[in-house]
Amino acid sequence: LEVPVHGALGISGARGHRVDRCIAEAPLGEDVEGTAPAALLTGVSGVGKSVSVNLALSRYPQTVRHARFPKVVGPFTQLTWLKVSVPPTGRLVDLVETLIQATVEALNAPQIGHTLRRRTSERALSCFNRWCTFMQSHFLGLLVLDEVQNLFKIPTLERRRQHRHADGLGLRVADDETLKALLIFSSTSKIPLLLIGTHDAERALESRFAISQRLAEGGQHELRFPLTAEDRHFAKELLPKLAEYQWSDAPIEVSDELRELINKSTAGIHRLVVNLWIKAHQVAADNKHSSLTIPHFKQAANLFTKSSREAVAALLSDLPDRLTRYEDLAGLHRNASTLP
């Protein structure tokens, strides 16, 4: 998982984080040339996109305190990265509020919110531009926008079923002003942008040439789910790590049979795998069994994965017309797999 994630972060951030260049080499007043790229990280719901990016970002400090800074009197706090989720409405006014709130929390400066938030009757785009200027002045190194499929109005499940064999339904923009603002941001701010979303987001962006050209300049990176139980990450990394967390007197060994069962029940989707692992322990505890066995996993799969079975079957089929329906069902297994 780290290869596409760090690839996307590296491509996005390397050309945008120019603090050393600004301080050490550039004469005061010089405009450092160059445009910052944007990259797109995609994958099915639950595969671990957001978690992987969060883990990668956690390796870097979000803020850096400078005792001295050019053209600044006194100490200066630089914001190195900022990550937010696009609100479900996709509206710019809601996105701006989310960005401002995240900025206030990252800098631990409530007074900034009063400066950045909308004035009465002010357009959301003007407020967004003010936030962008503030981010430039604080040398933001990377902006990460999660759930970018919320920028588009995804067709309902019923409409998708009616067009199951069509090339695809047109995805309408939820708010034209939001996309316009992101295009302006990508073109003028010189701040790298990383977008995270499902394949719906990927298809929507690809349907518009100008958007795909600017908002995926740094490339498209996909987190794949394991098609088989022998997948290297699934078999050699994920399950052995989970096996370290067992709450029974007699721990279970990750055998070929157990790997096949878990893969068949979850398609290797991280959210579902972790949920099944916990539920199997719950079944053992409810039955007052001191050891964890494969029958506990089978019972947990029968009891707790009913709503996700069709989605899992769609993934395991690896058939394009069925894969497109996975996201329609993803909302169901999100609720079913919520951890206690």
Side-chain angles (χ1 to χ4, degrees), residues 224-229 231 263 267 315-318:
R224 293 282 298 168
F225 60 90
L227 286 174
T228 69
D231 176 84
N263 182 259
L315 288 181
L316 293 176
S317 73
D318 202 27

Side-chain angles (χ1 to χ4, degrees), residues 1-5 46-49 51-52 55 222-243 254 259 262-263 266-271 273-274:
L1 289 178
E2 289 193 356
V3 173
V5 171
V47 77
K49 301 182 298 297
V51 172
S52 298
L55 289 174
E222 181 181 12
L223 287 188
R224 293 282 298 168
F225 60 90
L227 286 174
T228 69
E230 288 74 37
D231 176 84
R232 184 189 64 82
H233 171 70
F234 180 74
K236 302 297 184 182
E237 299 176 14
L238 178 59
L239 292 188
K241 176 57 67 174
L242 277 178
V254 181
R259 277 198 302 271
I262 295 177
N263 182 259
T266 66
I269 300 299
H270 281 207
R271 182 186 296 134
V273 172
V274 173

Side-chain angles (χ1 to χ4, degrees), residues 26-32 71:
L28 293 182
E30 176 188 346
D31 181 23
V32 180
K71 295 187 177 182

Side-chain angles (χ1 to χ4, degrees), residues 78-151:
Q78 176 193 357
L79 189 58
T80 56
W81 58 264
L82 191 69
K83 179 178 179 290
V84 302
S85 295
V86 176
T89 62
R91 296 172 60 217
L92 181 59
V93 62
D94 297 324
L95 177 60
V96 171
E97 177 58 32
T98 301
L99 289 168
I100 292 174
Q101 184 59 37
T103 303
V104 168
E105 293 175 1
L107 294 175
N108 192 25
Q111 69 277 8
I112 293 175
H114 302 298
T115 304
L116 296 179
R117 285 191 169 90
R118 294 175 67 204
R119 282 61 164 158
T120 304
S121 302
E122 182 184 26
R123 290 183 59 195
L125 186 57
S126 298
C127 185
F128 179 79
N129 290 335
R130 185 166 57 251
W131 175 84
C132 289
T133 301
F134 182 83
M135 289 295 96
Q136 288 175 296
S137 69
H138 280 70
F139 294 93
L140 179 64
L142 175 67
L143 174 63
V144 181
L145 294 182
D146 203 349
E147 306 291 350
V148 291
Q149 65 272 8
N150 290 339
L151 294 173

